[in-house]
């Protein structure tokens, strides 16, 4: 599945990555950490819509969407 990341981190980076298998925290973390200064990175994801959000602490620091 293709994952499109939007406005991630301090530089508002947009990029896409290919994920083989299911989305996991470790895989998502490895993709966004180079663009984020926050240590407390969390994710929310809605499988029905294919849209997710990236949080650094209590603030939204980006988003992502999946494409089959």
């Amino acid at each position: 599945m293709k994952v499109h990341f939007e406005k991630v981190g301090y530089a508002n980076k947009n990029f896409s990555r290919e994920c083989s298998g299911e989305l996991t925290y470790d895989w998502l973390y490895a993709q966004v950490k180079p663009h984020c200064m926050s240590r407390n990175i969390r994710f929310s994801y809605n499988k029905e819509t294919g849209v997710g959000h990236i949080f650094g602490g209590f603030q939204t620091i980006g988003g992502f969407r999946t494409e089959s």
Side-chain angles (χ1 to χ4, degrees):
M1 108 179 47
K2 192 138 185 135
V3 182
H4 302 280
F5 294 91
E6 300 162 346
K7 297 183 181 178
V8 176
Y10 55 86
N12 289 324
K13 292 284 186 173
N14 296 317
F15 56 96
S16 297
R17 298 284 190 270
E18 188 69 34
C19 177
S20 57
E22 288 191 38
L23 289 180
T24 63
Y25 175 84
D26 293 330
W27 186 86
L28 288 168
Y29 186 86
Q31 307 312 306
V32 302
K33 183 56 183 165
H35 308 288
C36 302
M37 296 180 78
S38 178
R39 289 187 217 166
N40 186 17
I41 298 175
R42 296 177 296 117
F43 305 94
S44 70
Y45 177 61
N46 184 336
K47 280 187 177 182
E48 293 174 8
T49 62
V51 175
H53 300 280
I54 306 165
F55 300 98
F58 292 109
Q59 297 200 357
T60 302
I61 59 171
F64 62 94
R65 58 186 169 81
T66 58
E67 177 183 298
S68 296

